[in-house]
Amino acid sequence: MEQYIVALSKYFIAICMAIYTYESFSVFRFRQEKQRKGIYTRQVILLFFVHFTSFLTICIKTGDLQYLFFYAFQQLAVFTVLVLFELFFPAVNRLVINNMCMLLVIGFVILTRLNMGLAIRQFIIVTVSMAVAMCVPYLIRRFREIKNFSWVYALFGILPLGVVLALGNTTYGSKLSYSIFGLSFQPSEFIKIIFVFFIASALYKSTSLLQVAYVTAVAGVHVLILAASRDLGGALIFFVTYVLMVFLATKNFLYLLLGIAGGGGASVIAFQLFRHVQERVQAWRDPWSVIDGEGYQVAQSLFSLGRGGLFGLGLFQGAPEDIPKVERDFIFSAVAEEMGLIVALCVIMVSLSCFIMFMNISMRMRDRFYQLIAFGMGILYIFQVFLTIGGDTKFIPMTGVTLPLVSYGGSSVMATLIMFSIIEGLYIIRQDEGAAHVKKKNKIAGRKRAEGEKEEAT
């Protein structure tokens, strides 16, 4: 009986994920949240099915009931998040919250399978981060003057990066983090959010050549410090976000073309200067020629992607641990191997659904500052997804960035949850603006109606 449950579970999980993903896009047929309630309810049910079935399989395969207790804590946390967001912020966008929880659940499942200790640590970090993130929509809605501090954002971005460059911990040749009271964190994960606020606050009023030059100079300092720290994946994310936000603000194709040319030139220079970039490019071009060295990770990732098939080998049935640092850089390959290509593709599509909603919120914002913030957050999120999955599948050279909400990484998951909460705060502001606009229209219509009745009476 147990063997049948394990064998059938992977098909059930794949079907639930496919239906959930379809619902993530069917949401866009409706403009009002009230019209989407049925979809959101079905999504939550499917989320719980995926979560329960995955941990049931893990418990059966291992025979260890501690996984059941871990599942119970996770389920309670997910349920609490869904309820509290709905309770404290009735105007919240449920698609963003549901997708966030689904991606976290997939991350918890695959991390539990790979390394129970890391999964528990990730769960604790997510719990603390969620408590912080719950305050963000209120702060975004309450403090409208945050748009007026571009120089403050620039300062709070450059100084921590400089500290990491000077005093940071060196990991695999790169200075990415530093430790305080024994806790290590990666400042660039949080600074990229501040970076978006800087560009938005600098460009929402004026897009003159002088103002664009000011933004370019400050953005250049960010990127150069990251490059000097050998955090080239982070530098690339900052640079792409800067180029696209400037283009959105100015609508000037010349800036976009200059950005593309500058990025291409910087890539050539980085290839010439950094040995590890050359190694990653070689591993991307022909991992088999260097499979005993720098190509080993990419080759093992491709093996994992090929072994899984559509429905996967099943949890604890594959060998994703053969990939070094699989919990961080190659989590997508682990999902594909044991949960199947269908589930892996659904992870991509759910991430894309989040991005589309971010862009939808950006387009509907009336305030230029908030529009730029939502756009920048969307670019940060989807480009990091692209870099991670592109590297895992050998579509692009490996960059060493994590898959948001799925990979192990405390700083990454906390920063991503804050980003999602900022988007929720902007969505609530948009709802407030819509309600105020309708109220104003009704007031004007009522005044005109009263004037008409008065004219008829006279």
Side-chain angles (χ1 to χ4, degrees):
M1 184 64 180
E2 293 178 354
Q3 293 178 345
Y4 288 113
I5 293 175
V6 172
L8 292 175
S9 64
K10 61 182 183 181
Y11 300 105
F12 182 73
I13 291 170
I15 292 170
C16 288
M17 277 298 297
I19 298 173
Y20 179 95
T21 304
Y22 168 79
E23 298 286 21
S24 295
F25 287 90
S26 65
V27 160
F28 297 104
R29 293 182 298 166
F30 308 102
R31 291 183 61 86
Q32 302 296 326
E33 284 292 301
K34 292 180 180 179
Q35 299 172 304
R36 301 168 175 171
K37 282 191 174 181
I39 294 175
Y40 294 147
T41 301
R42 290 192 293 272
Q43 280 190 317
V44 171
I45 293 171
L46 290 165
L47 186 156
F48 287 151
F49 278 162
V50 169
H51 199 190
F52 173 77
T53 306
S54 298
F55 270 88
L56 177 63
T57 304
I58 290 173
C59 289
I60 291 174
K61 288 297 298 180
T62 61
D64 192 343
L65 290 180
Q66 70 171 333
Y67 292 107
L68 189 61
F69 290 105
F70 189 33
Y71 160 77
F73 282 114
Q74 291 178 28
Q75 191 69 274
L76 178 62
V78 171
F79 180 77
T80 302
V81 167
L82 292 171
V83 170
L84 289 182
F85 264 105
E86 184 78 11
L87 181 64
F88 293 151
F89 309 107
V92 76
N93 185 287
R94 286 287 302 278
L95 177 67
V96 174
I97 298 300
N98 289 352
N99 285 354
M100 178 186 73
C101 290
M102 175 58 86
L103 292 171
L104 285 172
V105 161
I106 296 296
F108 287 144
V109 168
I110 201 68
L111 285 175
T112 300
R113 180 267 177 265
L114 293 170
N115 189 317
M116 180 68 165
L118 290 182
I120 293 174
R121 187 172 181 178
Q122 181 89 334
F123 174 71
I124 294 171
I125 293 171
V126 167
T127 303
V128 174
S129 303
M130 198 62 74
V132 175
M134 289 288 294
C135 303
V136 172
Y138 170 78
L139 296 175
I140 292 292
R141 187 184 188 187
R142 177 70 177 81
F143 297 103
R144 300 295 182 96
E145 60 272 15
I146 58 174
K147 63 179 68 175
N148 300 318
F149 300 105
S150 66
W151 65 272
V152 176
Y153 299 133
L155 190 65
F156 275 87
I158 292 172
L159 285 181
L161 290 180
V163 172
V164 173
L165 177 61
L167 306 173
N169 304 323
T170 301
T171 306
Y172 299 102
S174 302
K175 288 188 175 182
L176 304 177
S177 62
Y178 54 73
S179 301
I180 298 178
F181 302 116
L183 298 175
S184 179
F185 66 100
Q186 190 171 338
S188 63
E189 291 289 347
F190 303 97
I191 292 170
K192 64 187 180 185
I193 298 175
I194 299 174
F195 184 70
V196 168
F197 274 82
F198 159 72
I199 297 177
S201 63
L203 294 179
Y204 87 98
K205 282 185 178 179
S206 171
T207 56
S208 65
L209 180 60
L210 184 62
Q211 194 71 359
V212 172
Y214 161 62
V215 171
T216 302
V218 174
V221 173
H222 282 79
V223 172
L224 287 174
I225 293 175
L226 287 168
S229 302
R230 301 183 69 174
D231 182 8
L232 299 184
L236 183 59
I237 292 172
F238 275 66
F239 179 76
V240 170
T241 303
Y242 149 74
V243 170
L244 293 179
M245 287 188 70
V246 168
F247 173 66
L248 177 69
T250 63
K251 303 294 192 299
N252 191 330
F253 278 94
L254 178 61
Y255 292 142
L256 181 61
L257 293 175
L258 289 174
I260 294 172
S267 299
V268 173
I269 294 173
F271 180 80
Q272 298 295 330
L273 290 179
F274 298 107
R275 174 65 181 169
H276 73 286
V277 174
Q278 298 171 13
E279 292 174 351
R280 288 180 177 181
V281 171
Q282 177 59 34
W284 167 64
R285 292 176 59 188
D286 186 9
W288 319 113
S289 65
V290 286
I291 194 170
D292 293 332
E294 53 268 21
Y296 183 77
Q297 277 184 304
V298 177
Q300 289 297 332
S301 174
L302 295 175
F303 289 145
S304 287
L305 290 167
R307 281 194 297 260
L310 288 177
F311 296 97
L313 299 176
L315 293 167
F316 282 94
Q317 296 288 91
E321 62 274 5
D322 289 347
I323 310 172
K325 296 169 65 179
V326 63
E327 301 92 351
R328 294 172 172 82
D329 299 345
F330 289 90
I331 198 79
F332 180 78
S333 300
V335 171
E337 179 175 353
E338 296 208 333
M339 303 183 78
L341 287 176
I342 291 177
V343 173
L345 289 173
C346 287
V347 168
I348 297 176
M349 298 307 293
V350 169
S351 300
L352 182 60
S353 170
C354 291
F355 172 69
I356 293 173
M357 182 56 76
F358 287 7
M359 295 299 101
N360 182 275
I361 293 171
S362 175
M363 289 187 297
R364 296 179 65 186
M365 296 300 299
R366 290 192 172 91
D367 190 297
R368 188 66 168 167
F369 172 77
Y370 294 132
Q371 184 183 70
L372 288 169
I373 291 293
F375 179 81
M377 295 298 169
I379 295 300
L380 281 179
Y381 173 72
I382 201 63
F383 191 62
Q384 186 166 338
V385 171
F386 168 75
L387 290 179
T388 306
I389 297 176
D392 290 4
T393 58
K394 207 180 86 68
F395 183 74
I396 59 173
M398 189 179 67
T399 56
V401 299
T402 56
L403 183 58
L405 300 179
V406 182
S407 295
Y408 173 76
S411 299
S412 175
V413 73
M414 179 177 285
T416 306
L417 290 174
I418 291 173
M419 284 170 52
F420 273 61
S421 293
I422 290 171
I423 289 293
E424 289 293 5
L426 298 179
Y427 185 79
I428 293 170
I429 289 174
R430 176 66 188 93
Q431 297 294 89
D432 292 344
E433 289 175 346
H437 181 67
V438 170
K439 186 177 180 180
K440 184 178 179 180
K441 284 179 64 177
N442 292 338
K443 187 175 181 180
I444 293 172
R447 187 183 301 126
K448 288 182 177 179
R449 189 165 51 249
E451 291 174 354
E453 292 174 354
K454 185 176 180 181
E455 289 177 1
E456 289 179 3
T458 57

